[in-house]
Each structure stands twice: as structure tokens, then as C-alpha cells.
Amino acid sequence: MKKLAVLLIALTLCSAMLIGCSEDTSEKVYVYNWGEYMDPDVRDQFEEETGIKVVYDEFQTNEEMYPKIKENAVQYDVVCPSDYMIQKMIEDDLLAEIDFSKVPNLSNIDQTYLDSSKSFDAANKYSVPYCWGTVGILYNKTMVDEPIDSWASLFDEKYSGNILMIDSVRDAYAIALKYLGYNINSTDKAQIEEATKLLQSQYPLVQAYVVDQVRDKMIGGEAALGVIYSGEAIYTQRENPDLEYVVPKEGSNVWIDGWVIPKNCKNKENAEAFINFMCRPDIALKNFEYITYSTPNKAAREMITDEDIKNSTVAFPEQSVLERCTTFSYLGSELEAFYNDEWNKVKSGTN
Amino acid sequence: MNDTKPKLNPSSDSGLMLPHTNRIKLLSFPYIIWMAGFIIIPLVMILFYGLTNKENSFTLENLAAIAEPINLQALGLALLLSIISTVICLILSYPLSIILNNIKLKSNSLIIFIIILPMWMNFLLRTIAWQNILEKSGTLNTLLTFLHLPTINIINTPAAIILGMVYNYLPFMILPIYNVLIKIDQDVINAARDLGANTLQTFTKIIFPLSLPGVISGITMVFVPSLTTFAISSILGGSKILLMGNVIEQQFTLGNWHAGSGLSLVLMIFVLLCMAILSKYDKEAEGSNIW
């Protein structure tokens, strides 16, 4: 049975590789990025300037991306996972060290972000920060009658049916754990179970569990409170001025998405050229203006002309806010499974 | 390949015994390649993943996981919602098919065209459209408020999921029933009348039994996708209502392919069970075999 399956998988892989080989891959770079996470013009500009063709694919969650890289199913040259996933990929020996002599534009990246990256990439050898942000509450000023500054509002019966909770295990648990005063990287099962109880008590109050849809629903005034990534907040505020974003006082998660090069990549030099291009101030600025996710590129930030955006506390929160925030770290497969099981309990609505 | 072939009924079997058998068999090659690549190999892989654990040793753990309360609840809810949707589809489709059949339009391609028309658009888009219609401040409620009528709040409830299933799968019920009905020989119905059957008797003794194959394939084509859907339930249920499909999808996206495959195998048993029961009725109706 096992041999047969292995044989079949091998056959499929071989045929996939044959298809791959039939094309000349020398002047291409295969990029795997989050959905809606890059200005399409930037890719065209890269192709024009370097003559390297960009083959671009998108993913929705880190968990969706991981098996594709791990199983070697598709070969990508540059991928953009989040912090804890980068750590997991380093531990699983899936990443290649970046040759930084080929990425001189790294000097544009603010040293602060390289320092925070050390929490998942200890020696800054495998990743280059691309975007970063916080997780917070987006609320509709016309639908709440008090200042929102705490995660407590998400568990308040007053807002029953008016809460959009985030449909992502680690983010949801980060909120519950922070609210309970624990570390968002908690490895204590008793704490995690306590968080589960809290999230279960929230279930009846939640209108829907969403990720990307939170944007449109909040713009449409569908709910009073929604959990959102800071990068989406600026966009929603542009569309609906009643919306306000806050990083609750208990603290939150601060995340960094970074470019990495998988070990099995075919065009490492092209990948490095691509990463270098992404670090160029004018390109980083172009991307920032398109996707509105905070850029770690200090030279690009200097170039922002709109003063409101340049000084936006949503895009660039004060140091005091960031001090309350923690980055995710990878907790190992056993705890990962435990978190997933606990989250399933919450989502099924049983107590 | 032959042993996996569905049982052919005697008449078509004798048809294959003609001298050209081999050449005719060659024609099935594209489909056999398709079936091997996209049905058999994936099934074997699911079987392999479902019956092994992360260390690749044999286990029944993944199948036994169905007994966990969360999974049982998801399975129960999926069965309940898909049965309700199938019944609603049947109740809506049968009378409609009879009416369409009685109209006797010059070309029935127009009817098929109208029924298929919505399918020109991707079903996810149509489901998201329903989400926008049903939302608290969505199209429907805006209209109702404008007319000073009470609003309807069914979004993120099982009712919305049933609506989505019925809406999406209704054509798959109408078309087979309609296709069977238009093929019923008018002479058979006339003969029944001549022999003294009234309208009700003609229906119960002649029309309905003859239309059973269409009903059966309609039920299969609505029930099976409804049972396994995860998109409709997560879009219209706000990810608050977990059906079996959602649980499986979650296992796969969270990286536990073994558990996901195990639960898929359990779900497959229910699908096969459903098809076995239906094919039994189908044979009684002496119709063509759907599998």
C-alpha cells in the first residue's frame, strides 16, 4: 500500500518536473506572495528593468503555503511567509541563506525591524522584512457609545451580534491570551484551555468569523467591532470615515512578513535580485501606497508625501504601543495541533 | 480496468460483443486516463493518508476521529441540512418540470438555456452575492425597511446555508427530471387514460414510476454536493456553522492531511451508502444505472 502510494506520488512528481524542465527557467523568478500584497506595476517594472520574467502566485494563509514548499510540489524562488512560519521553515531546514552581498538595498531597512526579526530568524540570515503591522480592533464610531481601548469589548454582551471575530487560530488565541494577561506564545495547556473557555463564551456574541471579509463588512456598517490587521485599517478608513482603529491597551500581536528563499529554488540569483528590488525606496513606497501595509523601509517612509499617512499611528504606531505587542514564535507541531483542536472546539459552538 | 467497471445490464453487454469490440474499447481510453489521473490516484492517496499517521504507520485513528463530539455534530448537521435541501429541491423541481413539460415549447433548448443561465457565473460569486443580499444591512433588508416591513435575519444561520444549497443545486434537480419527463411516450399516457385511469392514477402508476430515474439522479446530484460542501456553509454561515466539509477543509489547511483524509473516507462511506440505496430504487424502476 505504502509503496504504491509512494510510487504514485513519485510518478506525479516526475511528470510535474518533466513539464517544468521543458521550459527554460534561467531568466525567470517564481514568486509566491500573499493575496493583494503587491502593486502589479512593480512586477512589470522589475521585468522591464532586469529582463527577468516574474511568475507570480498568491496564497491566503501561511498554512496553505507551507505544504507546497515542504512537499516540493511547486518550486518557488521567493516566498513571503510571516514570522512564526519563517521560524518553522528554518527549523524544518526548508530555507536557503540569503547572500546579502547581492541585496545592497537592505541598508534601506530600518534596523529596528531587523532586530525584531531576530525573534524568529536569530542571525538575520534567512529573511528580509517586507511588511509589518499589528492586530487590533476596527470599530464604527457611530455604533459604539464609549471609547474602545480594550479587548474586553469583544467579549461584552452589549455588542452581541455586532462582533466580527478573526477566523485564524493563532490570531484568535493571541487576543484571548493577551486579554487574560498571558503570553501570546503560551505553551501552558491550562492557559490555552482557559483561553478556549473565553472564546467559547464569545461564540454566541460573534456575528461571523472572517479574515478578508472583515474589510467590506466593516465598510458596509455590518458590525460595530471587527478584528483586523492594521494594514487593512487605513484602506477601510478611506472608504468609511466612521471607522477607527485601535491597538488595545492589553497589547497585541505585532507581525512581520519577510521574503525568504526556499532551499529547492532554481533561480537563487534572480530571487536575490527580486528581494533587492523590493527593498528599493521608490518600489517600497509604491507598494505601500497600493497595499497600505506598513513598510519597514525607512527611506521609503521619508518619501511619503501625504503627511497624514506619514504620521499615521495606524501605519506607524508609537514605540509605547509596540512595546505592548509581541511577535509570534513557532511552538512546535504538538502544540500547534493542540491549538487547532481547541480552536475547532470553539468554532463548533459546543461547550 | 474491467473489474472496476460498473455492472452493465445484459442488453448493452451483448452490444459490446460485436466484432468491433476492441476498436470501440479504444475510444474509452481518454476517459480511462482521465479517471486514473484525477479520480483513482487521488482516491488511493486519500486512502493512504487516511489510514496512516504522521510516521506513515497504519492506524485507524483518523477514521475513529469521527466519533469525537465535534465531528459527529458536524456530520449530523451536514446530513440534516443536505437532506432538507434535497427535499426542498425535489418539491420545487418536480411540479416545475411537469409544468415545463406541459407547456410543450417548440424548442426545449430555451428552457435548458434559462435554467443553465445562472451557471455561466461562478458559483462562489453567486454565493457571495447571496451573502450581500441577506446581510443585516444588505439589499433585501434595505428593501424591506424601505417598505416598512420587518427585516429578515437569516444570514449566518443554517437557514441561509439551506437557501444557498437549494439555490446552487436546483438546476441539477430540474434538468434530469425534465429530461425524463419529455421522453415519456404520450401514447403510454393515452393508453392509461383509455383503460380508465384518472389523472391521479396516471400520475402514480405511469408518470411517476417512469420519471424515477430522473428523480434518482437529481437526488444524487443535489444530495452529494450538499453533503460535502464547505464553501456555501462558510460564506453564508459566517464560519460559525461547521459542516463536515468545513471540518475536513480545516484539517487540510491546518496541515493535518491524515486526519482530513480519514474524515473524508468516512464521508465517502455516507455518499456511497446514499448512492447504493438510490441505485436499488433505480433498478426497481428499470431505469439506466447511474453508476
Coordinates of all heavy atoms in Angstrom, one line a residue, chain B residues 234-262:
Chain B
S234 N -19.4 28.2 4.7 CA -18.5 29.2 5.3 C -18.9 30.6 4.9 O -18.8 31.6 5.6 CB -17.0 28.9 5.1 OG -16.7 29.1 3.8
I235 N -19.4 30.7 3.6 CA -19.8 32.1 3.2 C -21.1 32.5 3.8 O -21.2 33.6 4.3 CB -19.9 32.1 1.6 CG1 -18.5 31.9 1.0 CG2 -20.5 33.4 1.1 CD1 -18.5 31.7 -0.5
L236 N -22.1 31.6 3.7 CA -23.4 32.0 4.2 C -23.6 31.7 5.7 O -24.6 32.2 6.3 CB -24.5 31.4 3.4 CG -24.6 31.8 2.0 CD1 -25.6 31.0 1.2 CD2 -24.9 33.3 1.9
G237 N -22.7 30.9 6.3 CA -22.8 30.6 7.7 C -21.9 31.4 8.5 O -21.7 31.2 9.7
G238 N -21.1 32.3 7.9 CA -20.2 33.2 8.7 C -19.1 32.4 9.4 O -18.6 32.8 10.4
S239 N -18.8 31.2 8.9 CA -17.8 30.2 9.5 C -18.2 29.9 10.9 O -17.4 29.4 11.7 CB -16.4 30.8 9.5 OG -15.9 30.9 8.2
K240 N -19.5 30.2 11.3 CA -19.9 29.9 12.6 C -20.5 28.5 12.7 O -20.7 27.9 13.7 CB -21.0 30.9 13.1 CG -20.4 32.1 13.8 CD -21.5 32.9 14.4 CE -21.7 32.5 15.9 NZ -22.7 33.3 16.6
I241 N -20.9 28.0 11.5 CA -21.6 26.7 11.5 C -20.7 25.7 10.8 O -20.4 25.9 9.6 CB -23.0 26.8 10.8 CG1 -23.8 27.7 11.6 CG2 -23.6 25.4 10.6 CD1 -24.8 28.5 10.8
L242 N -20.2 24.7 11.5 CA -19.2 23.8 10.9 C -20.0 22.6 10.4 O -20.6 21.8 11.1 CB -18.2 23.3 11.9 CG -17.2 24.3 12.4 CD1 -16.1 23.7 13.3 CD2 -16.5 25.0 11.2
L243 N -19.9 22.4 9.0 CA -20.4 21.1 8.5 C -19.2 20.2 8.3 O -18.1 20.6 8.4 CB -21.1 21.4 7.1 CG -22.3 22.4 7.1 CD1 -22.9 22.4 5.8 CD2 -23.3 22.0 8.2
M244 N -19.5 19.0 7.9 CA -18.4 18.0 7.7 C -17.4 18.5 6.8 O -16.2 18.4 7.0 CB -19.0 16.7 7.2 CG -18.1 15.5 7.6 SD -17.9 15.4 9.3 CE -16.3 14.7 9.4
G245 N -17.8 19.2 5.7 CA -16.9 19.7 4.7 C -15.9 20.7 5.3 O -14.8 20.8 5.0
N246 N -16.5 21.6 6.2 CA -15.6 22.6 6.8 C -14.6 22.0 7.7 O -13.4 22.4 7.8 CB -16.5 23.5 7.7 CG -17.5 24.3 6.8 OD1 -18.6 23.8 6.6 ND2 -17.1 25.4 6.3
V247 N -15.0 20.9 8.5 CA -14.0 20.3 9.4 C -12.9 19.7 8.5 O -11.7 19.8 8.9 CB -14.8 19.2 10.2 CG1 -13.7 18.4 11.0 CG2 -15.8 19.8 11.1
I248 N -13.3 19.0 7.4 CA -12.2 18.4 6.6 C -11.3 19.5 6.0 O -10.1 19.4 6.0 CB -12.9 17.6 5.5 CG1 -13.6 16.4 6.1 CG2 -11.8 17.1 4.5 CD1 -14.5 15.6 5.2
E249 N -11.9 20.6 5.5 CA -11.2 21.6 4.9 C -10.2 22.2 5.9 O -9.0 22.4 5.6 CB -12.1 22.7 4.4 CG -11.4 23.8 3.6 CD -11.7 25.2 4.0 OE1 -12.6 25.4 4.9 OE2 -11.2 26.2 3.5
Q250 N -10.7 22.4 7.1 CA -9.8 22.9 8.2 C -8.6 22.0 8.5 O -7.5 22.5 8.6 CB -10.7 23.1 9.5 CG -10.5 24.4 10.1 CD -11.6 24.7 11.1 OE1 -12.2 23.8 11.7 NE2 -11.9 25.9 11.4
Q251 N -8.9 20.7 8.5 CA -7.8 19.8 8.8 C -6.7 19.9 7.7 O -5.5 19.9 8.0 CB -8.3 18.3 8.8 CG -9.2 18.0 10.0 CD -8.5 18.0 11.3 OE1 -7.3 18.3 11.4 NE2 -9.2 17.8 12.4
F252 N -7.2 20.0 6.4 CA -6.2 20.1 5.4 C -5.5 21.5 5.4 O -4.2 21.5 5.3 CB -6.9 20.0 4.0 CG -7.0 18.5 3.6 CD1 -8.2 17.8 3.9 CD2 -6.0 17.9 3.0 CE1 -8.3 16.5 3.5 CE2 -6.1 16.5 2.6 CZ -7.2 15.8 2.9
T253 N -6.2 22.6 5.6 CA -5.5 23.8 5.6 C -4.6 24.0 6.8 O -3.6 24.7 6.7 CB -6.5 25.0 5.5 OG1 -7.4 24.8 6.5 CG2 -7.1 25.1 4.2
L254 N -4.9 23.4 7.9 CA -4.0 23.5 9.1 C -2.9 22.4 9.0 O -2.1 22.3 9.9 CB -4.8 23.3 10.3 CG -5.8 24.4 10.6 CD1 -6.7 24.1 11.8 CD2 -5.1 25.8 10.8
G255 N -2.9 21.7 7.9 CA -1.7 20.9 7.7 C -1.8 19.4 8.2 O -0.9 18.6 8.0
N256 N -3.0 19.0 8.7 CA -3.1 17.7 9.1 C -3.9 16.8 8.1 O -5.1 16.6 8.1 CB -3.9 17.6 10.5 CG -3.8 16.2 11.1 OD1 -3.3 15.3 10.5 ND2 -4.1 16.1 12.4
W257 N -3.1 16.5 7.0 CA -3.7 15.8 5.9 C -4.2 14.4 6.3 O -5.2 13.9 5.7 CB -2.7 15.6 4.8 CG -2.3 16.9 4.1 CD1 -2.6 18.1 4.6 CD2 -1.7 17.1 2.9 NE1 -2.1 19.1 3.7 CE2 -1.6 18.4 2.6 CE3 -1.2 16.2 1.9 CZ2 -1.0 19.0 1.5 CZ3 -0.6 16.7 0.7 CH2 -0.5 18.1 0.5
H258 N -3.6 13.8 7.3 CA -4.0 12.4 7.7 C -5.4 12.4 8.3 O -6.3 11.7 7.9 CB -3.0 11.8 8.7 CG -1.6 11.7 8.1 ND1 -1.2 10.7 7.3 CD2 -0.6 12.6 8.2 CE1 0.0 10.8 7.0 NE2 0.4 12.0 7.5
A259 N -5.6 13.4 9.2 CA -7.0 13.5 9.9 C -8.0 13.9 8.8 O -9.1 13.3 8.8 CB -6.9 14.5 11.0
G260 N -7.7 14.8 8.0 CA -8.6 15.3 6.9 C -9.0 14.1 6.0 O -10.2 13.9 5.7
S261 N -8.0 13.3 5.6 CA -8.3 12.2 4.7 C -9.1 11.1 5.4 O -10.0 10.6 4.8 CB -7.0 11.5 4.2 OG -6.2 12.5 3.6
G262 N -8.8 10.9 6.7 CA -9.6 9.9 7.4 C -11.1 10.3 7.5 O -12.0 9.5 7.2

